[in-house]
Amino acid sequence: MYDQTRAQQPSDQPPGPAERRAPGPETLLPSDERDRLAQRLQEALNNFAGSPLKALEEAEVIFDEATAQLTSALAERRRALHEGWQNHDPEAQSNELRHAMRQYREITQRLLRT
């Protein structure tokens, strides 16, 4: 669709708010938690040469914590999505279903890319 306002703007002008890209997908874990787990994993890797078994055991604990937190976050995301499209009035249902489908697709594709 032709945008007259955009067409009249000089080409060296930065894009307006409507033209800016949306932020990337929402993260499943809070950044401070991801950072904490990553730091602990890096410490385990750094300690591997001096204490391989202890470092490996710590890496396993970190892995277990990360998978448990991701599983919990995914279950919560599924619950919220399900509630978002379940039991809505039929008039708004088409948009709700479309939004939910897009969210399921994006999350599943992210999981498959990992």
Side-chain angles (χ1 to χ4, degrees):
M1 179 178 215
Y2 180 75
D3 183 352
Q4 185 176 3
T5 305
R6 183 174 175 207
Q8 293 174 349
Q9 291 178 348
S11 61
D12 61 340
Q13 185 174 356
E19 294 174 80
R20 292 190 186 115
R21 299 193 86 202
E26 185 179 328
T27 60
L28 294 171
L29 296 180
S31 61
D32 60 333
E33 186 59 27
R34 286 191 327 265
D35 293 345
R36 186 183 70 79
L37 290 168
Q39 178 64 37
R40 287 178 54 205
L41 182 58
Q42 187 59 52
E43 290 171 8
L45 291 168
N46 292 343
N47 295 331
F48 183 79
S51 304
L53 184 58
K54 185 177 177 184
L56 185 60
E57 289 170 343
E58 178 62 13
E60 184 176 47
V61 168
I62 297 164
F63 178 84
D64 289 344
E65 287 179 27
T67 56
Q69 289 180 28
L70 284 169
T71 300
S72 177
L74 287 167
E76 175 58 27
R77 181 72 55 90
R78 183 201 179 282
R79 185 198 60 73
L81 280 171
H82 185 79
E83 285 180 2
W85 62 267
Q86 202 66 14
N87 301 323
H88 279 79
D89 83 45
E91 296 293 320
Q93 192 169 11
S94 179
N95 286 333
E96 296 297 329
L97 294 175
R98 193 175 359 273
H99 176 73
M101 178 59 87
R102 186 176 22 230
Q103 293 296 311
Y104 282 124
R105 181 194 68 211
E106 289 173 5
I107 293 168
T108 303
Q109 287 176 335
R110 286 174 57 198
L111 288 171
L112 295 175
R113 280 191 302 259
T114 308

